[in-house]
Amino acid sequence: MKNLFFVLVIFQFSFSCFSQPITFSSGDTLRGTLSKERRCFDVTYYDLSISVNVNDHTISGCNSIHFSVQEDFSTIQIDLYQNLSIQKITDSENRLLSYSRKNNAVFIRFHTTQKKEGSSFIKIYYKGTPNRAIDPPWDGGFVWSLDSLNRSWISVTCEGVGASLWWPCKDHPSDEPDSMRMHFEVPQEFFCASNGKLLKVSSTIHQTKIYEWMVSYPINTYNVTLNIGHYIHFSDTYVRQDNTFLELDYYVLSYNFDKAKKHFEQVKPMIQCYEKLFGNYPYEKDGYALIEAPYWGMEHQSGIAYGNHFKNNLFGFDYIIVHESGHEWWGNNISVADHADLWIHEAFTTYGETLMLECLYNKETAENYLLGQTKYIKNREPIIGLYNVNYHYWKDSDMYYKGARMLHTLRNSIDNDSLWFALLLHLQEKFSSKQIGTEEMIACINNFTGFNYRPFFLQYLTKINLPILEYEILKKSSKHVHLKCRWVTEVSDFRLPLTIGSSGKKDNKFSPSDRFENFSFPVETDHPELEFNTNSFYITLKELNRKKRK
């Protein structure tokens, strides 16, 4: 018997909001707000030098901050955690600059007004004991660990809490330097791996080595990293069909070489899929790297932290490799201008895992993977955080998993995979090396698809409840099914185009609104029944006349 095919999904949840309010401090505001002392200058280049004392867990160093002047100013704000002491700050003429500190903000006063369209630099010399990460990567700070041979193994992770916990910078996501150089001085028995390309290794008279790394692209501050350990390096090359290539570098603990060499073979097919989906790897000159770390993982640009112990999941891939590599496109190439919009990083990257499986295998396998993530969705807090306070207080992972289901719903609403995949490539091109917000993302999607999806995004991102489709079957015949339906949501003007078809053919598109409307669909059976596909849309379905029909 041929059944009516209705592309919808039924999911019922109980919803509750967190009752404990979040209190924000003046420090949160100083960190999260783009104040006049921050708007007035744009960072163009960082030149960071740090010496790491492995024995007493201290650091000392200097950061040269180069900037262009956007507005006339005499005072700027730079960020550095207050537990790190400042020795001195100098200007481009090596004159001492005065400064004051409030929370983790440093207000630096210049001798003369810096004029718009000019450029200059300052140097900040500092030292101290940086915060230690208790539960990396979720809890930010330095990771002072030991490898399996009881040798020191050091790394850092600072998303959310900020890079200013270990180096002075303009610690706001809206401003990325055009490039960056890093010098790390470590005891001579260690290797130090970081972002970008290793330019030089120099020995000193102090029984130390200085590793000089260079990043040739814009990079957000939390992605800057260092990894100190007894590493061994090996490399590979990913060759595209057009004979262009990408250098692949791997840094693992010496005793994991054989295991890593086999396990990292999955990188090349992954990159092939991601480049097909999102465009070429964004950091060609810096190359792609995985660096073994003493914590689960982090999307450090061109130097991804990897700590998943060389394990694949049931679908045959290593989650950390695939997820953190996806961030090279979604999070690193396209970055958010305010931490509240972090869903742009995480939802697209999480859905990218599904798309990679579809690329490697088929859509059924991919949707099974996506459905398996449903148990992690809580629907208890909005996905978007609060702006201007460096928000990082989410209790759940809905920006990952609900965000991915939202994007899958969007894809099936568009109902044109050629258009959908063209949209993903368009987003990467339009926002490459840019910092954007939710509204810019929505506007681009609307313009590209020709449909107003703004209410759709507002419902999924700013509310906790799913859209409810209320429907009533009015009449069935051998030729048609007649029903009325409407969306029940917390935002006005909500529309979500759906598709209905006969015998699995999706050939009738309709767009319910927030008021009841009647729809009629042709069928090819004398006794049509509604059959709902639970893989395509993430909504709640409510049949109004279910009792009457029974």
Side-chain angles (χ1 to χ4, degrees):
M1 180 181 291
K2 297 179 180 179
N3 293 327
L4 187 68
F5 186 84
F6 206 122
V7 187
L8 291 174
V9 65
I10 306 173
F11 280 108
Q12 298 292 342
F13 289 94
S14 60
F15 304 109
S16 62
C17 293
F18 291 108
S19 58
Q20 184 66 36
I22 300 172
T23 301
F24 296 101
S25 66
S26 60
D28 291 318
T29 301
L30 286 169
R31 169 72 201 288
T33 301
L34 200 59
S35 62
K36 64 179 182 178
E37 290 83 7
R38 286 169 140 184
R39 292 193 309 269
C40 62
F41 72 104
D42 176 66
V43 175
T44 55
Y45 176 67
Y46 288 121
D47 193 345
L48 175 65
S49 296
I50 290 180
S51 177
V52 180
N53 191 315
V54 175
N55 294 324
D56 66 6
H57 296 179
T58 62
I59 60 175
S60 62
C62 169
N63 191 24
S64 180
I65 304 173
H66 297 246
F67 58 84
S68 62
V69 182
Q70 306 299 300
E71 304 169 8
D72 291 1
F73 70 80
S74 57
T75 302
I76 61 171
Q77 176 188 330
I78 293 295
D79 305 286
L80 183 67
Y81 271 45
Q82 57 190 332
N83 57 297
L84 298 175
S85 64
I86 295 174
Q87 272 63 66
K88 64 178 179 178
I89 302 176
T90 61
D91 65 11
S92 59
E93 299 179 34
N94 205 31
R95 296 177 296 182
L96 290 174
L97 295 176
S98 61
Y99 61 90
S100 60
R101 306 187 74 170
K102 182 178 181 181
N103 300 114
N104 296 326
V106 183
F107 294 93
I108 303 168
R109 294 177 287 277
F110 287 73
H111 294 288
T112 58
T113 299
Q114 304 298 296
K115 293 297 185 179
K116 184 177 180 179
E117 298 184 358
S119 61
S120 190
F121 68 88
I122 59 173
K123 290 185 176 181
I124 302 178
Y125 298 81
Y126 71 106
K127 67 178 182 179
T129 304
N131 287 4
R132 183 170 189 153
I134 305 302
D135 185 24
W138 299 277
D139 171 67
F142 257 69
V143 183
W144 306 96
S145 184
L146 298 173
D147 67 17
S148 296
L149 299 180
N150 211 36
R151 303 172 299 186
S152 290
W153 187 17
I154 301 142
S155 189
V156 66
T157 174
C158 58
E159 185 183 14
V161 296
S164 51
L165 71 79
W166 69 286
W167 59 284
C169 56
K170 182 180 178 182
D171 208 1
H172 192 277
S174 65
D175 194 356
E176 298 181 0
D178 300 325
S179 59
M180 183 171 178
R181 190 182 300 262
M182 301 88 76
H183 307 79
F184 299 113
E185 184 177 5
V186 301
Q188 63 180 355
E189 65 266 30
F190 293 101
F191 185 96
C192 183
S194 186
N195 314 82
K197 282 293 182 187
L198 179 60
L199 300 182
K200 185 169 61 174
V201 181
S202 306
S203 296
T204 75
I205 61 174
H206 306 294
Q207 304 298 306
T208 62
K209 287 182 178 179
I210 297 175
Y211 291 81
E212 182 180 346
W213 291 83
M214 180 72 192
V215 173
S216 300
Y217 302 86
I219 183 171
N220 61 52
T221 55
Y222 78 78
N223 265 327
V224 179
T225 189
L226 60 78
N227 303 268
I228 302 167
H230 291 268
Y231 287 111
I232 189 168
H233 167 244
F234 65 97
S235 60
D236 201 349
T237 303
Y238 165 66
V239 182
R240 303 184 183 93
Q241 288 186 343
D242 61 1
N243 289 323
T244 60
F245 63 90
L246 175 67
E247 293 182 11
L248 311 176
D249 290 289
Y250 305 113
Y251 303 89
V252 298
L253 296 175
S254 53
Y255 50 76
N256 283 329
F257 172 75
D258 291 336
K259 189 184 299 183
K261 199 170 181 65
K262 176 67 176 176
H263 191 73
F264 290 167
E265 288 177 357
Q266 64 187 280
V267 167
K268 285 193 275 190
M270 173 198 69
I271 290 179
Q272 184 177 30
C273 283
Y274 277 163
E275 290 200 331
K276 177 183 176 182
L277 293 164
F278 310 134
N280 278 6
Y281 178 76
Y283 308 109
E284 197 85 20
K285 289 185 288 186
D286 288 349
Y288 169 94
L290 291 176
I291 305 170
E292 191 173 1
Y295 56 89
W296 201 18
M298 195 66 211
E299 66 262 26
H300 297 142
Q301 181 175 308
S302 65
I304 295 166
Y306 171 78
N308 197 32
H309 308 292
F310 310 99
K311 295 177 181 177
N312 289 334
N313 61 19
L314 294 176
F315 287 82
F317 68 85
D318 190 313
Y319 166 80
I320 287 298
I321 293 177
V322 170
H323 182 84
E324 305 305 345
S325 297
H327 275 306
E328 295 283 48
W329 286 265
W330 306 100
N332 300 349
N333 189 40
I334 298 178
S335 302
V336 296
D338 191 293
H339 210 246
D341 288 321
L342 203 61
W343 73 271
I344 294 174
H345 294 199
E346 301 299 351
F348 279 98
T349 299
T350 303
Y351 191 51
E353 301 162 26
T354 297
L355 295 178
M356 189 208 67
L357 276 174
E358 187 174 338
C359 170
L360 289 176
Y361 302 109
N362 52 58
K363 194 170 183 178
E364 181 182 5
T365 300
E367 288 190 330
N368 286 336
Y369 178 77
L370 186 69
L371 286 172
Q373 296 175 341
T374 304
K375 59 181 176 289
Y376 302 120
I377 301 175
K378 305 302 180 183
N379 289 301
R380 295 188 296 189
E381 61 180 346
I383 290 176
I384 287 182
L386 298 179
Y387 293 94
N388 299 316
V389 289
N390 188 48
Y391 190 85
H392 57 277
Y393 301 98
W394 290 278
K395 305 294 192 302
D396 296 315
S397 300
D398 280 7
M399 74 169 70
Y400 295 77
Y401 305 112
K402 184 177 179 180
R405 292 300 297 274
M406 174 189 72
L407 293 176
H408 193 60
T409 297
L410 175 66
R411 172 187 177 180
N412 283 284
S413 175
I414 291 173
D415 193 34
N416 180 335
D417 270 355
S418 295
L419 182 63
W420 167 252
F421 289 114
L423 169 62
L424 296 179
L425 288 169
H426 176 70
L427 292 172
Q428 283 293 321
E429 288 180 11
K430 181 176 178 62
F431 297 127
S432 177
S433 295
K434 291 185 173 64
Q435 301 81 51
I436 66 169
T438 294
E439 290 295 342
E440 290 170 279
M441 176 63 74
I442 294 172
C444 184
I445 291 172
N446 287 350
N447 183 63
F448 196 84
T449 61
F451 188 86
N452 180 21
Y453 280 105
R454 188 170 186 273
F456 165 86
F457 281 104
L458 292 182
Q459 180 64 40
Y460 281 94
L461 296 173
T462 69
K463 311 299 179 185
I464 61 174
N465 294 316
L466 295 181
I468 299 172
L469 185 72
E470 292 185 340
Y471 74 96
E472 182 176 353
I473 299 172
L474 301 175
K475 183 181 178 182
K476 292 182 184 179
S477 71
S478 61
K479 299 294 184 181
H480 290 84
V481 168
H482 305 271
L483 72 154
K484 69 176 182 179
C485 59
R486 70 169 181 180
W487 288 111
V488 179
T489 63
E490 297 157 89
V491 299
S492 58
D493 300 321
F494 183 92
R495 279 186 180 271
L496 179 61
L498 304 173
T499 312
I500 194 170
S502 176
S503 304
K505 297 177 182 178
K506 300 187 296 178
D507 49 14
N508 293 288
K509 200 162 188 174
F510 71 113
S511 184
S513 68
D514 54 6
R515 65 183 185 277
F516 277 115
E517 297 174 89
N518 292 346
F519 298 92
S520 179
F521 305 101
V523 295
E524 298 178 8
T525 176
D526 292 337
H527 304 284
E529 295 293 335
L530 291 178
E531 180 179 312
F532 298 99
N533 183 336
T534 60
N535 295 349
S536 300
F537 285 84
Y538 191 56
I539 64 174
T540 299
L541 191 68
K542 184 177 180 182
E543 185 178 354
L544 298 177
N545 60 347
R546 179 180 295 275
K547 291 183 178 179
K548 182 171 64 175
R549 291 176 63 215
K550 288 182 178 179

